[in-house]
């Protein structure tokens, strides 16, 4: 499977420091920052620093170190933001839109952390 990564996408530009972001966590392989158009009281985007388009691309081609770092950073952030259910938080929704039917707007793999109020059903159909 071939994945074409467009390095002009907005998250690639954030990673290159070309546009500012409100960083909440950074590790060797992962960056997390607040969404510019928050859809919940807590709305954080977590992205790998590597050039991956979608979740399946990341899972297929990222190193184990990148995958572990990303996964643990998401969990650590949920904990630090006070929304991890295992740590007494009220819970959160993790969304990784991937590909056209998901309405993925930015073609750099990312996980949304949404929380801070009851979020209702997953999809409004
Ligand atoms: P997607 O629809 O691809 O899953 O989500 C992309 C997200 O990126 C959207 O929630 C959108 O608000 C956010 N976003 C787009 N451009 C920027 C930006 O320049 N900075 C930040 N922080 N978020 C952005």
């Amino acid at each position: 499977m071939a994945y074409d990564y467009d390095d002009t996408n907005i998250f690639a530009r954030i990673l290159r420091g070309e546009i500012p972001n409100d960083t909440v966590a950074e590790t060797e392989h992962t960056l997390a920052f607040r969404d510019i158009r928050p859809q919940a009281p807590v709305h954080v985007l977590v992205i790998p620093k590597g050039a991956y388009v979608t979740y399946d691309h990341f899972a297929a081609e990222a190193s184990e170190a990148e995958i572990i770092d990303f996964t643990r950073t998401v969990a650590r952030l949920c904990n630090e933001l006070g929304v991890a259910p295992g740590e007494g938080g009220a819970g959160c929704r993790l969304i990784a839109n991937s590909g056209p039917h998901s309405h993925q707007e930015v073609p750099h793999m990312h996980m949304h952390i949404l929380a801070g109020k009851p979020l209702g059903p997953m999809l409004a159909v």
Side-chain angles (χ1 to χ4, degrees), residues 10-11 14 19 21 33-37 39 43 45 97 103-106 110 112:
I10 200 83
F11 294 169
I14 285 175
I19 53 176
N21 73 92
F33 50 90
R34 296 199 185 273
D35 197 292
I36 204 167
R37 289 186 296 274
Q39 297 185 40
H43 191 170
L45 298 167
N97 292 321
H103 208 278
Q104 181 181 8
E105 292 179 359
V106 180
H110 52 279
H112 296 257

Side-chain angles (χ1 to χ4, degrees), residues 32-95:
F33 50 90
R34 296 199 185 273
D35 197 292
I36 204 167
R37 289 186 296 274
Q39 297 185 40
V42 174
H43 191 170
V44 170
L45 298 167
V46 190
I47 68 173
K49 291 182 176 177
Y52 305 106
V53 184
T54 53
Y55 191 92
D56 58 313
H57 185 195
F58 180 65
E61 296 190 2
S63 68
E64 291 190 5
E66 288 173 290
I67 292 170
I68 290 168
D69 185 79
F70 182 87
T71 305
R72 295 240 162 95
T73 299
V74 171
R76 177 169 63 82
L77 267 172
C78 290
N79 189 359
E80 289 174 2
L81 292 163
V83 301
E87 299 291 336
C92 57
R93 180 169 292 157
L94 305 178
I95 297 175

